Amino acid sequence: MARRWRPTGLAALLILIFGWVAGMAPAQTSAVPAVLVADDIQVTRDRRLIARGNVEAFQNGTRLTAQSIEYNPDTGALTITGPIVIDDGAGTRILANQAELSNDLQNGLLTGARLVLNDQLQLASVQMNRVNGRYTQLYKTAVTSCHICGDDPRPPLWQIRAKRVIHDEEERQLYFDHAQLRIRNTPILYLPRLRLPDPSQDRATGFLIPELQSNSRLGTGLRLPYFIKLGDHRDLTLTPYIANNTRTLEFRYRQAFKRGRIIFEGALSDDELQPNDSRGFLFGAGEFNLNRDFVLQFDIEAVSDDAYLNDYGYFNKDRLDSQIQVSRARRDEFIRLSYINYKSLRDDEDDAVLPSDVLEALYERRFFPKAVGGEIRLTAAAHAHERASRLDFDANGDGVVDGRDVLRFNVDAEWLRSFQLGGLQVQTRLGVAGDVIRVSDDSIFDDGDSGIAPKAAVTLRYPMVRQSASGVRQHIEPFVQFGWVGGDGLAVPNEESTRVEFDEGNLLALSRFPATDRRERGWAVALGGTWSRIDPNGWSASLTLGQILREEAQTDFSDTTGLSGTTSDFLLAGQMKFDGGLAVSGRTLFNESFDVAKAEVRGDWSNDRLDLGGSYIWISEDPAIDLPSPIGEFTFDGAYKIDRFWTANVDWRYDLEEGRAATAGAGITYTNECVRVGLSINRSFADSTTIEPSTSLGVTVSLRGFSAHTGERVETRSCGKQAR
């Protein structure tokens, strides 16, 4: 029968074992109670403590098992006979056949020892020494994170063989002497000295996963990132990229502050694509919490030339925006002040005649007066944009003067109130807006214009709900809105509202222009309805249908907006979700003749092994917004889990009007508990004077076990017929 021993006298020395495994000093743990269980426990006349047979010791979640433990008070030696297993409950285990330790456990020797770190990395050695309570030295060591079957004669997929390995518990680092990297049992790389972080490290200085890449324009090259820990709150990553036609240094700097954080990334290149130019880019962003709930945000985007980002595959942006903004959001108040600078990378755009500098200010406040009920909203806004050009000339013939600058001020006050009449819901709006717009460097519009716009609206809804015995719930809600906006339209150029979208989000708005440089005027009626079906055990769907009827047409709406004329196009939007993982959503605008102005559809299907997605977009031609021909595009993306370890993915974007692919890519990845191998190929079919088609091939190999957990689910191979 097993006997239980609580630590008094010599038995308390067992607690030191747990302090050693957990990296704590003995003095910190000597007062913590431990429990020793064995088939036989005795104290001899010469004060030796001997525990034999199925020995187990427990303390603070740490567990030690052995065949016997003997303590000699005369020599201070602690002898443990195995098989020995010490588990701290946090992922670190020590396995050994025999152990001789000093009485303070700061020094000692273990034979036939194996150290397992973070339940991931295994270090098997002939001999293990404990030195000064901090260092663990392992001799003739094999290191791997691959699952090893005891009866499998084959070596692990990869391993690092070393003459000596030192584990520094304080710095959480592994130091290798005379290290060999072996694939199966074939040496492929020798390093006289090697340092790697142990798996418990979140951030440690050292090399990251390299990537072998082949590009049709840059050639074949290698990216070798090196991570530098500059402290607990900042780091720098330098990535040399050496290929046939380029010498590039990529970098990323991150720092966290008490009240914010920043990140900067970029690259510097000397390549054969533009041999006489230094090329590069710099992107940065940051956010800081200021006093009185204000937040400062900024981002910087700069590039040496228009084609650089595409040549190296960094970003797909064709317009860069750098911004600094201060804002504050409270329950009943919002304040924002921002400055934005734009730079175009498009062939057909000249930065000098684009409104590249934009300054905006916005203040919103709402009140809930008890005297009149409802809600009062007050808004004040200012906007200014400037072009670098000073020419008073319409060079492109599109109505935009090359040097035109605009300054705009708007104020708005609204009173909103809702009430119920039986099953009828009534929402009312009453307000007035004032607009002042000043134009400079444009002789056509002189100094601009100003005006007042009173407005009112009443919205009626009649929601109806039906629920079946099976739990299916259906909701139908017809609605109609009567709206009016007075005043005359301002005699100013259309600078900000050239691209208008009509969707279910602004179906009941009094003005659907994206900016307040212009407003819809006169009487309008918005009518339509929504329907939804919710089945907790089956398919669910929602649908919205609406249309706008006006007293008079709005001249600033182009044909593709669906809002031109006194009768708008029909808006139809909806989505469906099925129990099998299929989801479809879409939106379209069409007239009484079913001529479609815009259409978009997105579908996704997902299950345990397959993820598929695709979308279709179509916009009819509209010369008023520089669209001389229709836009039609189809995109597809998918991933397929071939088995527990292999995953394939593909993406494709096809231009239906041009009749050719725009981009295409495919990849395959193998991942298990000890290695991740990825192969990818991407093709860009871009066609312009600054961007040329290119093909890139990438290969990455990552040895798992030396990096922090990413949250990715990893399948572990098993022993037996299904192994590997």
Side-chain angles (χ1 to χ4, degrees), residues 497-503 506 512-513 550 554-565 567-571 587-591 595-600 617-632:
S497 298
T498 58
R499 303 295 186 270
V500 179
E501 293 294 332
F502 177 33
D503 55 36
N506 60 18
R512 294 158 192 85
F513 289 106
R550 293 192 184 85
Q554 307 294 305
T555 58
D556 291 314
F557 287 131
S558 64
D559 292 337
T560 55
T561 63
L563 296 167
S564 60
T567 302
S568 76
D569 287 353
F570 289 100
L571 166 66
R587 180 186 297 112
T588 185
L589 298 174
F590 60 91
N591 60 20
D595 296 325
V596 177
K598 293 180 181 179
E600 57 179 324
I617 299 175
W618 190 84
I619 304 175
S620 62
E621 67 275 4
D622 191 350
I625 57 172
D626 300 325
L627 194 61
S629 60
I631 294 178

Side-chain angles (χ1 to χ4, degrees), residues 379-399:
T379 302
H383 168 94
H385 64 253
E386 183 181 36
R387 292 175 170 85
S389 173
R390 292 294 178 262
L391 297 176
D392 182 6
F393 176 67
D394 182 4
N396 297 325
D398 56 4

Side-chain angles (χ1 to χ4, degrees), residues 663-724:
T663 60
I668 189 167
T669 304
Y670 176 83
T671 304
N672 63 21
E673 78 285 352
C674 66
V675 68
R676 185 180 190 276
V677 181
L679 174 65
S680 64
I681 182 170
N682 293 279
R683 172 69 175 172
S684 172
F685 300 89
D687 183 17
S688 71
T689 58
T690 59
I691 300 177
E692 297 182 9
S694 64
T695 303
S696 62
L697 177 68
V699 179
T700 59
V701 179
S702 170
L703 304 182
R704 307 182 71 93
F706 298 105
S707 59
H709 290 294
T710 62
E712 176 187 5
R713 180 181 176 183
V714 177
E715 294 284 356
T716 301
R717 296 168 297 162
S718 58
C719 297
K721 295 182 179 180
Q722 288 79 26
R724 295 175 173 81

Side-chain angles (χ1 to χ4, degrees), residues 12 120 171 255 266 329 380 400 420 464 513 667 677 717:
Q120 189 175 13
E171 296 293 333
Q255 184 167 357
V400 178
Q420 194 100 6
M464 294 172 284
F513 289 106
V677 181
R717 296 168 297 162

Side-chain angles (χ1 to χ4, degrees), residues 49 104 118 136 165 179 489 548 593 719:
L49 171 68
D104 60 359
N118 214 36
T136 302
V165 177
I548 311 296
S593 302
C719 297

